[in-house]
Amino acid sequence: MSYRPLSFAGYVRQAMRPYRIGIPFVFSLVAGIAVAASVLALRANSDFHLIRAVAPHLSTLVETQDRPEMLRMLSSIARERGVQLVLVQRGQVLASTRSLEELDRPFKSQGSLVPIGQSHVTGSDLVTNVHIARENGPETDADILMFSPLSPILLSCLWIALGVLALSFAVSQLYSLKLISVIRETIRPIEKTDEAIRLLLEDKEPNLPLTGIREIDNIRSTLIETRRSLTDATDRLAEAKSKELVADAYRRLIHDLYTPVAALKETVKIIEKETTKPTIREKAQHRLIRLAEQILNQVSVAKENLQFEPKPLAQDDIRTCVSEAAEQAWLAFPDRDRVQLNQRIPDRPISIPHDSENLRRAISNLVSNALRASRGTVDVELERMESSVAIRVSDDGLGIDEDDISLHLQGRLQSSEGNRPGYGLPSANHIARLHGGRLIYRRSPLGGACFEIRI
Amino acid sequence: MRLHWTYIPILFLLWATACTGGKSQNSPAQSEPYIKAIYALPRTLDPVLMNDTASLMVSNLLYDGLLRFTPDLGFEGALAESWSLDQDGRRYVFKLRSGLRFHDGSAITPEAVVRSLTRAVSPKSTVFKYYDCIQGAEDYFAGRARSVAGLKADGPNRVVIELKYPFPPFLSVLAGATAKVLPINADQDPGFFNRPIGSGPFQFAQLKTSAGSEGELLLTAFDHYQAGVPKVKTLTLRAMSEAKAMQEAQAGRVHDLANFPLGGNEPVFKAGRDASTPVAATWVIGLNVRKAPFNDLKLRQSFKAAIDGEAFRTAFYPDAVAAPGYIPSGLPGFLREPVQLKLGARSAPLEAITVAVPEVLSREKEIREFLEARLRKQGWSVTFVSMAWDKLMEGYDKKTLQAFLVSMNMDYPDTEFLIRNFETGNPDNFSGLSDPALDRLIRKARGSTDRLTRNALYQEVARRLEQLAVTVNLFHPRAHNWVHRCVKGFVPNVLADYYIDYRGVELDQECLASAGGGK
């Protein structure tokens, strides 16, 4: 059996199903029984008093042995009330509306099942028995029995029970639907919280309004505090990482210089050796020059990485920085007539702590790279997020293989021209991290690369 | 589309409601003839001459009156849509239904109603006694008036009846089998009752008579009957003896024996259904005081005391109710205990006594022998003779019989109907009794509207009748109406079998088919 989790509303609906069906049934059963008992009790009382009301006249008819009048009277009552009546004297049926055939026959009483006041219930009737006798009147002792059929009473009760069932079923359904609706409303903030947590994973700013529900607002507070802690931790981590990168750069420089220096040393030895053939010496001299250039390049890169030391950031409008950097790169690009540079800068100032000099260089590097890679269009976009800023540089070039991104960011791959290492991306990455942000790569909507400085 | 299980009870209820609600309550009239066995053909088809149950039964099928009885002795409008009674209980106003038609299609008018009720108080009427409470009835009956003052047509659909005095059972009289409405010109056609036209649920088709008491009367459903077309298309009343009727019933050739006084224990009940109910009737041996030796009170009392009614009931109709008095149980005046007669020394009767017994009874011979043997054993010179029903009724009407065994049924459910038979001067006074004290009690009871008072007076009348010993009360019968097992909608009537409503009776065709044609 496979595991299929339900939505919260679905779970509530499923959990409530027995109650939605069971409660109306129980309610209607109780109502039916209560109504039946009440109706029977009222009917028994009504029957009893009706017989008592006609008893004086009936006792006169019994005394005068006027069976025709007894039959007329009993028939009239029976017809109007939907009952049967039997008048019994000395165990013999004196008058009956049930069957004329039982007249002058011994009365056969049916067993009593349930007593109800002056009456009792048999298998098919509510039987009310009243003894009638006229004071000082001879020959009047008799019993009048009224048989009220149970089936109409019980049928009425059944209809009432069914009505209650239908009504309570409808109320239960409405109540259930309303409850589920309220639950849906209630869990919407939870879904938003879930969404917010996902946005956090994507480093996006979550929007979590207050809900008015204590438990959910507590989760919201916890989430915001957690996010703030995470941001602080990220800053601290970035700072530590920056220091580690500097140390690492030194280590790599030292490590990377060891081989060419060693080779330089050996080459110098070859040149200085008197016995070295002129051709070999000449090759060694050329190699010596290449080695020197390589060392200078490595030192130059290391210098680029190391010269940026963390310094306090100034709270300023970042729009100028972005715009100037894009312009600078555009002017320096010799083939700029071929490319269209689009800037999307918000009209309203975006004030954010930043190092404008370094950030300009980083943006300029990204724009220069994009101009070189572009086939005709480069977009520069500045977007204000809730608590951060995104600077995106997109081109419509070939883009970069995502597997090589980390190598590019470390400066371990050559530039697009292929004749020198790519300095721009490691530098931009470094500057973004110095701002407590990072450099994100994704595919550009224009088809090429899109680098985003998120600070 | 998926059906959720919670909807199932609701769908079931809707289905059940649709099923019960959609069931048709009506079915077309059936062509299979419904055959009812009767002990004799009707003696007359004229409602105002009717005195036997066969005639009264046919009257209720052929004719409609203003009112009719329900099976449990209630009233409902027949031709009358509604009626009212004024404060002093003497003036009734009946409103007729609209669109009423006789079987020949002619309209039923208030004048026809007045004319029909006028016939009931005419000199030729044998049921005048039921209607003599109508204002002016006696003058008309005696020929002193040309119309009945208390009977009036009022507008196109109203009939007004005014009584001489408040008479509570009058609605019962109007719901009875003699208060039927005929076309206004019925009396102008001498052959009218050979092919009578009424407005009842069935219409006359044919009367077939044959030798003896057998024959049959064919009736067909009246398609425009105002209260719904009867479910059987043809109703055949087939006259035969009780013994033959039971044979025919066992063979499945007749569909009910409600017209016969069965005890419920006859073998025929194994093949059919017993729709049993008490009926307001008393089996008596009527004694004619006009004929010696029953003109002697002491002798009548001795004769009455000599017959053990309970032994007779136990031997022949054990399911019936004992009859301590003449008035049946379930009616005011019923006596729970017999009246103890003060009997003196009895001299042997000077003349032989003959008691007529209807020959239609299946156990007629046993009955005669049972009673005769017991009386002879006590020294009575008595003979119980078997007599054809027509002859017995003729003797009853002409008061020529010394004594006779009959069931005294009631045309309407009120003690008044029974006790007025003993009123001096009543043409239907079979006993010939003339007792001023009894007459005073009857009149006093008739004028009393208080139930307890009337009941006390009726009980006095009943006790007086016992002392006068004009009837030997045998039992109050319980009707055991045998019906074919394929008969549906048969509802017995507490008053008498001739008030059974045949409009709703039908034959279950599937049952008949499974029973091999039902014949």
Side-chain angles (χ1 to χ4, degrees), chain B residues 229-303:
Chain B
V229 181
K231 292 183 176 175
V232 292
K233 197 168 181 63
T234 307
L235 175 59
T236 301
L237 306 177
R238 190 168 289 165
M240 61 188 78
S241 69
E242 185 176 297
K244 185 177 178 184
M246 285 194 282
Q247 288 174 2
E248 293 288 289
Q250 278 185 301
R253 287 190 285 267
V254 297
H255 298 120
D256 85 54
L257 302 180
N259 198 223
F260 294 93
L262 304 182
N265 51 2
E266 292 83 355
V268 70
F269 284 99
K270 292 176 185 170
R273 187 164 68 84
D274 182 4
S276 175
T277 175
V279 287
T282 309
W283 276 48
V284 297
I285 297 174
L287 307 180
N288 189 350
V289 301
R290 302 177 189 87
K291 297 284 184 182
F294 290 128
N295 55 350
D296 180 351
L297 174 62
K298 292 289 181 190
L299 183 132
R300 288 202 307 273
Q301 289 177 333
S302 296
F303 186 78

Coordinates of all heavy atoms in Angstrom, one line a residue, chain B residues 229-303:
Chain B
V229 N -71.3 1.8 -9.3 CA -71.8 0.6 -10.0 C -71.4 -0.6 -9.1 O -70.3 -0.8 -8.7 CB -71.3 0.5 -11.4 CG1 -71.8 -0.8 -12.1 CG2 -71.6 1.7 -12.2
P230 N -72.4 -1.5 -8.9 CA -72.1 -2.8 -8.2 C -71.0 -3.5 -8.9 O -70.8 -3.5 -10.1 CB -73.4 -3.6 -8.2 CG -74.4 -2.5 -8.3 CD -73.8 -1.5 -9.2
K231 N -70.2 -4.3 -8.1 CA -69.1 -5.0 -8.7 C -69.4 -6.2 -9.5 O -68.7 -6.7 -10.4 CB -68.0 -5.3 -7.6 CG -67.4 -4.0 -7.1 CD -66.3 -4.3 -6.0 CE -65.7 -3.0 -5.6 NZ -64.7 -3.2 -4.5
V232 N -70.6 -6.8 -9.1 CA -71.1 -8.0 -9.9 C -72.1 -7.5 -10.9 O -72.9 -6.6 -10.6 CB -71.7 -9.1 -9.0 CG1 -70.6 -9.8 -8.2 CG2 -72.8 -8.6 -8.2
K233 N -72.0 -8.0 -12.1 CA -72.9 -7.5 -13.2 C -74.2 -8.1 -13.1 O -75.2 -7.5 -13.4 CB -72.2 -7.8 -14.6 CG -72.8 -7.0 -15.7 CD -71.9 -7.2 -16.9 CE -72.4 -6.3 -18.1 NZ -72.5 -4.9 -17.8
T234 N -74.3 -9.4 -12.7 CA -75.5 -10.1 -12.6 C -75.7 -10.7 -11.2 O -74.7 -11.3 -10.7 CB -75.6 -11.2 -13.7 OG1 -75.3 -10.6 -14.9 CG2 -77.0 -11.8 -13.7
L235 N -76.8 -10.5 -10.6 CA -77.1 -11.1 -9.3 C -78.4 -12.0 -9.5 O -79.4 -11.5 -9.9 CB -77.4 -10.0 -8.3 CG -77.8 -10.4 -6.9 CD1 -76.8 -11.4 -6.3 CD2 -78.0 -9.2 -6.0
T236 N -78.2 -13.3 -9.3 CA -79.3 -14.2 -9.4 C -79.7 -14.6 -8.0 O -78.9 -15.1 -7.2 CB -78.8 -15.4 -10.2 OG1 -78.4 -15.0 -11.5 CG2 -80.0 -16.4 -10.3
L237 N -81.0 -14.5 -7.7 CA -81.6 -14.9 -6.5 C -82.3 -16.2 -6.8 O -83.3 -16.2 -7.5 CB -82.5 -13.9 -5.9 CG -81.9 -12.5 -5.7 CD1 -83.0 -11.5 -5.2 CD2 -80.8 -12.5 -4.7
R238 N -81.8 -17.3 -6.3 CA -82.3 -18.6 -6.7 C -83.0 -19.2 -5.4 O -82.4 -19.5 -4.4 CB -81.2 -19.5 -7.2 CG -81.7 -20.8 -7.8 CD -80.5 -21.5 -8.5 NE -80.1 -20.8 -9.7 CZ -79.0 -20.9 -10.4 NH1 -78.1 -21.8 -10.0 NH2 -78.7 -20.3 -11.5
A239 N -84.3 -19.5 -5.6 CA -85.1 -20.0 -4.4 C -85.0 -21.5 -4.4 O -85.1 -22.2 -5.4 CB -86.6 -19.6 -4.6
M240 N -84.8 -22.0 -3.2 CA -84.6 -23.5 -2.9 C -84.7 -23.7 -1.4 O -84.7 -22.8 -0.6 CB -83.3 -24.0 -3.5 CG -82.1 -23.4 -2.9 SD -80.6 -23.8 -3.7 CE -80.6 -22.8 -5.1
S241 N -84.9 -25.0 -1.1 CA -85.0 -25.4 0.3 C -83.6 -25.2 0.9 O -82.6 -25.2 0.2 CB -85.5 -26.8 0.5 OG -84.5 -27.7 0.0
E242 N -83.6 -25.2 2.3 CA -82.3 -25.1 3.0 C -81.4 -26.2 2.7 O -80.2 -26.1 2.5 CB -82.6 -25.0 4.5 CG -81.4 -24.7 5.3 CD -81.8 -24.5 6.8 OE1 -82.5 -23.6 7.1 OE2 -81.4 -25.3 7.6
A243 N -82.0 -27.4 2.7 CA -81.2 -28.7 2.4 C -80.5 -28.6 1.0 O -79.3 -28.9 0.9 CB -82.0 -29.9 2.6
K244 N -81.4 -28.2 0.1 CA -80.8 -28.2 -1.3 C -79.8 -27.1 -1.4 O -78.8 -27.2 -2.1 CB -81.9 -28.0 -2.3 CG -81.4 -28.0 -3.7 CD -82.6 -27.9 -4.8 CE -82.0 -27.9 -6.2 NZ -83.0 -27.7 -7.2
A245 N -80.1 -26.0 -0.8 CA -79.1 -24.9 -0.8 C -77.8 -25.3 -0.3 O -76.7 -24.9 -0.9 CB -79.7 -23.7 0.0
M246 N -77.7 -26.1 0.7 CA -76.5 -26.5 1.3 C -75.8 -27.4 0.3 O -74.5 -27.4 0.2 CB -76.7 -27.1 2.7 CG -76.9 -26.0 3.7 SD -76.8 -26.6 5.4 CE -78.3 -27.5 5.6
Q247 N -76.6 -28.3 -0.3 CA -75.9 -29.2 -1.3 C -75.3 -28.4 -2.5 O -74.2 -28.6 -2.9 CB -77.0 -30.1 -1.9 CG -77.5 -31.2 -0.9 CD -78.6 -32.0 -1.5 OE1 -79.0 -31.8 -2.7 NE2 -79.1 -33.0 -0.7
E248 N -76.1 -27.4 -2.9 CA -75.6 -26.6 -4.0 C -74.4 -25.8 -3.6 O -73.4 -25.6 -4.4 CB -76.7 -25.6 -4.5 CG -77.9 -26.2 -5.1 CD -77.6 -26.8 -6.5 OE1 -77.4 -26.0 -7.4 OE2 -77.5 -28.0 -6.6
A249 N -74.4 -25.3 -2.4 CA -73.2 -24.6 -1.9 C -72.0 -25.4 -1.8 O -70.9 -25.0 -2.2 CB -73.6 -24.0 -0.5
Q250 N -72.2 -26.7 -1.3 CA -71.0 -27.6 -1.2 C -70.5 -27.9 -2.6 O -69.3 -28.1 -2.8 CB -71.4 -28.9 -0.5 CG -71.4 -28.7 1.0 CD -71.7 -30.0 1.8 OE1 -72.7 -30.6 1.6 NE2 -70.8 -30.4 2.6
A251 N -71.4 -27.9 -3.6 CA -70.9 -28.2 -5.0 C -70.4 -26.9 -5.6 O -70.0 -26.9 -6.8 CB -72.1 -28.7 -5.8
G252 N -70.4 -25.8 -4.9 CA -69.9 -24.5 -5.5 C -70.8 -23.9 -6.5 O -70.4 -23.0 -7.3
R253 N -72.1 -24.2 -6.5 CA -73.0 -23.6 -7.5 C -73.7 -22.4 -7.0 O -74.5 -21.8 -7.8 CB -74.0 -24.7 -8.0 CG -73.4 -25.8 -8.9 CD -74.4 -26.7 -9.5 NE -74.9 -27.6 -8.6 CZ -74.5 -28.9 -8.4 NH1 -73.4 -29.3 -9.1 NH2 -75.0 -29.7 -7.5
V254 N -73.7 -22.1 -5.7 CA -74.2 -20.8 -5.2 C -73.1 -20.2 -4.4 O -72.2 -20.8 -4.0 CB -75.5 -21.0 -4.4 CG1 -76.6 -21.6 -5.1 CG2 -75.1 -21.8 -3.1
H255 N -73.3 -18.8 -4.3 CA -72.2 -18.1 -3.6 C -72.5 -17.6 -2.2 O -71.5 -17.2 -1.6 CB -71.8 -16.9 -4.6 CG -71.3 -17.4 -5.9 ND1 -71.9 -17.0 -7.1 CD2 -70.3 -18.2 -6.2 CE1 -71.3 -17.6 -8.1 NE2 -70.3 -18.3 -7.6
D256 N -73.7 -17.6 -1.8 CA -74.0 -17.3 -0.4 C -75.3 -17.9 0.0 O -76.3 -18.1 -0.8 CB -73.8 -15.9 0.0 CG -75.0 -15.0 -0.2 OD1 -76.1 -15.3 0.3 OD2 -74.8 -13.9 -0.9
L257 N -75.4 -18.2 1.3 CA -76.6 -18.8 2.0 C -77.0 -17.9 3.1 O -77.6 -18.4 4.1 CB -76.3 -20.2 2.5 CG -75.7 -21.2 1.5 CD1 -75.5 -22.6 2.2 CD2 -76.7 -21.5 0.4
A258 N -76.8 -16.6 3.0 CA -77.1 -15.7 4.1 C -78.6 -15.7 4.4 O -78.9 -15.2 5.5 CB -76.6 -14.3 3.7
N259 N -79.4 -16.1 3.5 CA -80.8 -16.0 3.7 C -81.4 -17.2 4.6 O -82.5 -17.2 4.9 CB -81.5 -16.0 2.3 CG -83.0 -15.5 2.4 OD1 -83.9 -16.1 1.8 ND2 -83.2 -14.5 3.2
F260 N -80.5 -18.1 4.9 CA -80.9 -19.3 5.6 C -80.4 -19.2 7.1 O -79.3 -18.8 7.3 CB -80.4 -20.6 5.0 CG -81.0 -20.8 3.6 CD1 -80.4 -20.3 2.5 CD2 -82.2 -21.5 3.5 CE1 -80.9 -20.5 1.2 CE2 -82.8 -21.6 2.2 CZ -82.2 -21.2 1.1
P261 N -81.3 -19.7 8.0 CA -80.9 -19.6 9.4 C -80.0 -20.8 9.8 O -80.4 -21.7 10.5 CB -82.2 -19.7 10.2 CG -83.1 -20.5 9.2 CD -82.6 -20.2 7.8
L262 N -78.7 -20.7 9.4 CA -77.8 -21.8 9.7 C -77.2 -21.7 11.0 O -77.1 -20.6 11.6 CB -76.7 -21.9 8.6 CG -77.2 -22.0 7.1 CD1 -76.1 -22.1 6.2 CD2 -78.1 -23.2 7.0
G263 N -76.7 -22.8 11.6 CA -76.2 -22.8 12.9 C -74.7 -22.6 13.0 O -74.1 -22.5 14.0
G264 N -74.0 -22.8 11.9 CA -72.6 -22.6 11.8 C -71.8 -23.9 11.9 O -70.6 -23.9 11.8
N265 N -72.6 -25.0 12.3 CA -71.9 -26.3 12.5 C -72.3 -27.2 11.4 O -71.9 -28.4 11.4 CB -72.2 -26.9 13.8 CG -73.7 -26.9 14.1 OD1 -74.5 -26.5 13.2 ND2 -74.1 -27.4 15.2
E266 N -72.9 -26.8 10.3 CA -73.3 -27.6 9.2 C -72.1 -28.0 8.4 O -71.1 -27.2 8.3 CB -74.3 -26.9 8.3 CG -75.7 -26.7 9.0 CD -75.8 -25.5 9.8 OE1 -74.8 -24.9 10.0 OE2 -76.9 -25.2 10.4
P267 N -72.1 -29.1 7.7 CA -70.9 -29.5 6.9 C -70.5 -28.5 5.8 O -69.4 -28.4 5.5 CB -71.3 -30.8 6.3 CG -72.4 -31.3 7.2 CD -73.1 -30.1 7.7
V268 N -71.5 -27.8 5.4 CA -71.2 -26.8 4.3 C -70.2 -25.8 4.7 O -69.4 -25.3 3.8 CB -72.5 -26.1 3.8 CG1 -73.0 -25.2 4.9 CG2 -72.4 -25.4 2.5
F269 N -70.0 -25.5 5.9 CA -69.1 -24.5 6.4 C -67.6 -25.0 6.2 O -66.7 -24.2 6.2 CB -69.3 -24.1 7.8 CG -70.5 -23.2 7.9 CD1 -71.7 -23.6 8.3 CD2 -70.4 -21.8 7.6 CE1 -72.8 -22.8 8.4 CE2 -71.5 -21.0 7.7 CZ -72.7 -21.5 8.1
K270 N -67.4 -26.3 6.0 CA -66.1 -26.8 5.7 C -65.6 -26.3 4.3 O -64.4 -26.3 4.0 CB -66.0 -28.3 5.8 CG -66.2 -28.8 7.2 CD -66.3 -30.3 7.3 CE -66.6 -30.7 8.7 NZ -66.9 -32.2 8.7
A271 N -66.6 -26.0 3.4 CA -66.2 -25.6 2.1 C -66.3 -24.1 1.8 O -66.1 -23.7 0.7 CB -67.2 -26.4 1.1
G272 N -66.7 -23.4 2.8 CA -66.8 -21.9 2.6 C -66.4 -21.1 3.8 O -65.8 -21.7 4.7
R273 N -66.8 -19.9 3.8 CA -66.5 -19.0 5.0 C -67.8 -18.7 5.8 O -68.8 -18.6 5.2 CB -65.9 -17.7 4.4 CG -65.4 -16.8 5.4 CD -64.5 -15.7 4.7 NE -65.2 -14.8 3.9 CZ -65.8 -13.7 4.3 NH1 -65.8 -13.4 5.6 NH2 -66.5 -12.9 3.4
D274 N -67.6 -18.5 7.0 CA -68.7 -18.2 7.9 C -68.6 -16.7 8.4 O -67.7 -16.4 9.2 CB -68.7 -19.1 9.2 CG -69.9 -18.8 10.1 OD1 -70.7 -18.0 9.7 OD2 -69.9 -19.5 11.2
A275 N -69.4 -15.9 7.8 CA -69.4 -14.5 8.2 C -70.5 -14.4 9.3 O -71.7 -14.1 8.9 CB -69.7 -13.6 7.0
S276 N -70.1 -14.5 10.5 CA -71.1 -14.6 11.6 C -71.2 -13.3 12.3 O -70.3 -12.6 12.6 CB -70.6 -15.7 12.5 OG -71.4 -15.8 13.6
T277 N -72.5 -13.1 12.7 CA -72.8 -11.9 13.5 C -74.1 -12.1 14.2 O -75.0 -12.8 13.6 CB -72.8 -10.7 12.6 OG1 -73.2 -9.5 13.3 CG2 -73.8 -10.8 11.4
P278 N -74.3 -11.5 15.3 CA -75.6 -11.5 15.9 C -76.6 -10.7 15.0 O -76.2 -9.8 14.4 CB -75.4 -10.9 17.3 CG -74.2 -10.1 17.2 CD -73.3 -10.7 16.2
V279 N -77.9 -11.1 15.1 CA -78.9 -10.3 14.4 C -80.0 -10.0 15.3 O -80.2 -10.7 16.3 CB -79.5 -11.1 13.1 CG1 -78.4 -11.1 12.0 CG2 -79.9 -12.5 13.5
A280 N -80.7 -9.0 15.1 CA -81.8 -8.5 15.9 C -83.0 -9.3 15.6 O -83.9 -8.9 14.8 CB -82.0 -7.0 15.8
A281 N -83.2 -10.5 16.1 CA -84.3 -11.3 15.8 C -84.6 -12.3 16.9 O -83.8 -12.5 17.8 CB -84.1 -12.1 14.5
T282 N -85.8 -12.8 17.0 CA -86.2 -13.8 18.0 C -87.0 -14.9 17.3 O -87.9 -14.6 16.6 CB -87.1 -13.1 19.1 OG1 -86.4 -11.9 19.5 CG2 -87.3 -14.1 20.2
W283 N -86.5 -16.1 17.6 CA -87.3 -17.3 17.1 C -88.4 -17.5 18.2 O -88.1 -17.7 19.3 CB -86.4 -18.5 16.9 CG -85.7 -18.6 15.6 CD1 -85.0 -17.6 15.0 CD2 -85.6 -19.7 14.7 NE1 -84.5 -18.0 13.8 CE2 -84.9 -19.3 13.6 CE3 -86.2 -21.0 14.8 CZ2 -84.6 -20.1 12.6 CZ3 -85.9 -21.8 13.7 CH2 -85.1 -21.4 12.6
V284 N -89.6 -17.5 17.7 CA -90.7 -17.7 18.6 C -91.7 -18.7 18.1 O -91.8 -19.0 16.9 CB -91.5 -16.4 18.9 CG1 -90.6 -15.4 19.5 CG2 -92.1 -15.8 17.6
I285 N -92.5 -19.3 19.0 CA -93.7 -19.9 18.6 C -94.8 -18.9 18.9 O -95.0 -18.6 20.1 CB -93.9 -21.3 19.3 CG1 -92.8 -22.2 19.0 CG2 -95.3 -21.8 19.0 CD1 -92.9 -23.5 19.8
G286 N -95.4 -18.3 17.9 CA -96.4 -17.3 18.1 C -97.8 -18.0 18.4 O -98.1 -19.0 17.8
L287 N -98.5 -17.4 19.4 CA -99.7 -18.0 19.8 C -100.8 -17.0 19.5 O -100.7 -15.8 19.8 CB -99.7 -18.3 21.3 CG -98.6 -19.1 21.8 CD1 -98.7 -19.3 23.4 CD2 -98.5 -20.5 21.1
N288 N -101.9 -17.5 18.8 CA -103.0 -16.6 18.3 C -104.1 -16.7 19.3 O -104.8 -17.7 19.5 CB -103.4 -17.1 16.9 CG -104.4 -16.2 16.3 OD1 -104.9 -15.3 16.9 ND2 -104.7 -16.5 15.0
V289 N -104.3 -15.6 20.0 CA -105.3 -15.6 21.1 C -106.7 -15.6 20.5 O -107.7 -15.7 21.3 CB -105.1 -14.3 22.0 CG1 -103.8 -14.4 22.6 CG2 -105.4 -13.0 21.3
R290 N -106.8 -15.3 19.2 CA -108.1 -15.4 18.6 C -108.6 -16.8 18.5 O -109.8 -17.1 18.3 CB -108.1 -14.8 17.1 CG -107.6 -13.4 17.1 CD -107.5 -12.9 15.6 NE -106.8 -11.7 15.4 CZ -105.5 -11.5 15.3 NH1 -104.8 -12.6 15.3 NH2 -105.0 -10.3 15.1
K291 N -107.7 -17.8 18.5 CA -108.0 -19.2 18.3 C -107.9 -19.9 19.6 O -106.9 -19.8 20.4 CB -107.0 -19.8 17.3 CG -107.0 -19.2 15.9 CD -108.2 -19.7 15.2 CE -108.2 -19.2 13.7 NZ -109.4 -19.7 13.0
A292 N -109.0 -20.6 19.9 CA -109.0 -21.5 21.1 C -108.0 -22.6 20.9 O -107.8 -23.0 19.7 CB -110.4 -22.1 21.3
P293 N -107.3 -23.1 21.9 CA -107.5 -22.8 23.3 C -106.6 -21.6 23.7 O -106.6 -21.3 24.9 CB -107.0 -24.1 23.9 CG -105.9 -24.6 23.1 CD -106.3 -24.2 21.7
F294 N -105.9 -20.9 22.8 CA -105.0 -19.9 23.2 C -105.7 -18.6 23.6 O -105.0 -17.6 24.0 CB -103.9 -19.6 22.1 CG -102.9 -20.8 22.0 CD1 -102.7 -21.3 20.8 CD2 -102.3 -21.3 23.1 CE1 -101.8 -22.4 20.6 CE2 -101.4 -22.4 23.0 CZ -101.2 -22.9 21.7
N295 N -107.0 -18.6 23.6 CA -107.7 -17.4 24.1 C -107.7 -17.5 25.6 O -108.2 -16.5 26.3 CB -109.1 -17.4 23.5 CG -109.9 -18.7 23.8 OD1 -109.2 -19.7 24.2 ND2 -111.2 -18.7 23.6
D296 N -107.2 -18.6 26.2 CA -107.1 -18.7 27.6 C -105.7 -18.4 28.1 O -104.8 -19.0 27.8 CB -107.5 -20.2 28.0 CG -107.4 -20.4 29.5 OD1 -107.0 -19.5 30.2 OD2 -107.8 -21.5 29.9
L297 N -105.6 -17.3 28.9 CA -104.3 -16.8 29.4 C -103.6 -17.9 30.2 O -102.4 -18.1 29.9 CB -104.5 -15.6 30.2 CG -103.2 -15.0 30.9 CD1 -102.2 -14.6 29.8 CD2 -103.6 -13.9 31.8
K298 N -104.3 -18.6 31.1 CA -103.7 -19.6 31.9 C -103.1 -20.7 31.1 O -102.0 -21.2 31.3 CB -104.7 -20.1 32.9 CG -105.1 -19.1 34.0 CD -104.0 -18.8 35.0 CE -104.4 -17.8 36.0 NZ -103.3 -17.4 36.8
L299 N -103.9 -21.1 30.0 CA -103.4 -22.1 29.2 C -102.2 -21.7 28.4 O -101.2 -22.5 28.3 CB -104.5 -22.6 28.2 CG -104.2 -23.7 27.3 CD1 -105.3 -24.8 27.3 CD2 -103.9 -23.3 25.9
R300 N -102.2 -20.4 27.9 CA -101.1 -19.9 27.2 C -99.8 -20.0 28.1 O -98.8 -20.4 27.7 CB -101.3 -18.5 26.7 CG -102.3 -18.4 25.6 CD -102.1 -17.1 24.8 NE -102.1 -15.9 25.6 CZ -103.2 -15.2 26.0 NH1 -104.4 -15.6 25.6 NH2 -103.0 -14.1 26.7
Q301 N -100.1 -19.5 29.3 CA -98.9 -19.5 30.2 C -98.4 -20.9 30.5 O -97.2 -21.1 30.6 CB -99.3 -18.8 31.6 CG -99.5 -17.3 31.4 CD -100.0 -16.7 32.7 OE1 -100.6 -17.3 33.6 NE2 -99.7 -15.4 32.8
S302 N -99.3 -21.9 30.6 CA -98.9 -23.3 30.9 C -98.2 -23.8 29.6 O -97.1 -24.5 29.8 CB -100.1 -24.1 31.1 OG -100.8 -23.7 32.3
F303 N -98.7 -23.5 28.4 CA -98.1 -24.0 27.2 C -96.7 -23.4 27.1 O -95.7 -24.1 26.7 CB -98.9 -23.5 26.0 CG -98.5 -24.1 24.7 CD1 -98.7 -25.4 24.4 CD2 -97.8 -23.3 23.8 CE1 -98.3 -25.9 23.1 CE2 -97.3 -23.8 22.6 CZ -97.6 -25.1 22.3

